[in-house]
Amino acid sequence: MMLDRGVVVSNGKGGVGKTSVAAHLAGVAAASGWRVLLVDLDPQGNLGQDLGYLQEGGSDDGRGLHAAVLTGTPITPLKDVRPGLDVVPAGEMTDELIEVLARRQAKHRGAVRDLEAALAPLAGDYQLVVFDCPPGDKVMLDAALTAAHYVLIPTRADDGSIKGLERVARRFAALRVEDNPGLELLGVVLFDFGAGDKRILAETRTELAEALGEAAPVFGAAIRHARKAARDMRRSGLLAFEYGRAAAAAQPWYERDREVPAPTFAGNADDLAGDYEKLGAEVLGRFSERLAEEAVMAR
């Protein structure tokens, strides 16, 4: 059994946009009218900053998921972080959960399904379940890959990011044989590319095709480099399209009272929002197509 609407977002290397992509995929889907559950499996809990509930004291630091896996206690997600978007938070208790899963899996391979068992009672309430996985943690990655149906891998152009992608692909291949034959690579997301990086984008697409073949097509929408916007968004708990709206509504600098402090916005706010919206539409379109194809095959 698996969560047939579950999508794991992962790369074996940190700093490749994994959490940003997970947050925006969930946010774009919810804004489009989908019911979405976002499951944070990364002890760092950066997802809480991206969506603003950490700043507001809304996180349980992973206690709910920890209790569900250990004792079967039903999970109560953090409701309506955005309209239609619920979250299972992570934090310091997620570190302890990883240790528990490691001990269980060392004794009994079937324990890799404990995460799935804890989340299964919730899954039927949602049209999409997104997992944000920690980088480099085999135990939690295996648990997520066993629970989910699809894998989405963000990457930068550097060799370390590509190797991190390849590590996830290897775990994908192993888990597909051992525990989850229905697991599929949904695709690869190109992250943090400059506006003039057309050659690098093309070269990266070629490298990925050579490394992964046709198994993991690269999405057409790439996320541009936007350091100020990314910093501002995480500090304020805004997604890119929310940040873009705030920037558009801000008073022009030449009309402001210089004596009154006012936030400044990145000049590429609208462009970044457009990148994430295009990516979200593309990923959700492919996700829906695969579900429809599988429904036809199951008849």
Side-chain angles (χ1 to χ4, degrees), residues 105-117:
Q105 290 179 26
K107 294 179 180 178
H108 176 51
R109 179 62 196 173
V112 75
R113 296 194 174 278
D114 288 354
L115 177 66
E116 176 191 350

Side-chain angles (χ1 to χ4, degrees), residues 8 10 39-43 65 69 90 93-99 101-102 105 112 115 131-134 136-147:
V8 170
S10 184
V39 183
D40 193 357
L41 301 176
D42 190 340
L65 185 58
V69 172
M93 293 302 292
T94 311
D95 275 320
E96 185 172 323
L97 176 59
I98 291 171
E99 293 176 6
L101 290 173
Q105 290 179 26
V112 75
L115 177 66
F131 296 84
D132 180 24
C133 288
D137 189 285
K138 177 179 175 295
V139 170
M140 191 61 90
L141 177 61
D142 282 6
L145 291 177
T146 302

Side-chain angles (χ1 to χ4, degrees), residues 13-14 21-22 33 38 57 90 108 110 116 119 142 160 162 179 195 197 202 237 254:
K13 182 180 182 297
V21 168
L38 185 51
H108 176 51
E116 176 191 350
L119 292 167
D142 282 6
I162 301 296
D179 299 290
D197 286 348
Y254 52 83

Side-chain angles (χ1 to χ4, degrees), residues 171-185:
R171 291 312 303 156
F172 160 86
L175 269 293
R176 193 175 187 185
V177 171
E178 297 171 6
D179 299 290
N180 189 357
L183 190 64
E184 294 185 37
L185 282 168

Side-chain angles (χ1 to χ4, degrees), residues 18 75 81 180 217 240 263 297:
K18 173 185 58 64
I75 300 172
V81 170
N180 189 357
M297 293 172 62

